[in-house]
Amino acid sequence: MASPKKVLSIAGSDSGGGAGIQADLKTISALGCYGLTAITALTAQNTQGVAAIHAPEPEFLKAQLDAV
């Protein structure tokens, strides 16, 4: 049995689950692949709007990319 293809998503997080990394991982999984991620921003949001955004330092993004 072959290992699933790996797909890297570099995106923001949508705490409501409808977009960003969460949606990417759903799609990647539905296609039978294995998702790797690097988070560029965190949001506190739902279908009504965005309450807050946090952007990690660029060094943290680099560390995530180096790790995966």
Side-chain angles (χ1 to χ4, degrees):
M1 184 171 159
S3 296
K5 298 280 185 185
K6 295 178 182 138
V7 177
L8 173 62
S9 175
I10 303 171
S13 172
D14 170 3
S15 60
I21 289 287
Q22 288 82 350
D24 290 353
L25 286 173
K26 289 178 194 175
T27 302
I28 291 166
S29 179
L31 294 172
C33 298
Y34 183 83
L36 305 167
T37 64
I39 308 293
T40 60
L42 305 170
T43 66
Q45 70 182 74
N46 57 32
T47 58
Q48 303 299 308
V50 177
I53 299 171
H54 173 73
E57 295 295 323
E59 295 79 17
F60 185 74
L61 176 58
K62 182 180 182 317
Q64 292 177 84
L65 291 168
D66 289 344
V68 298

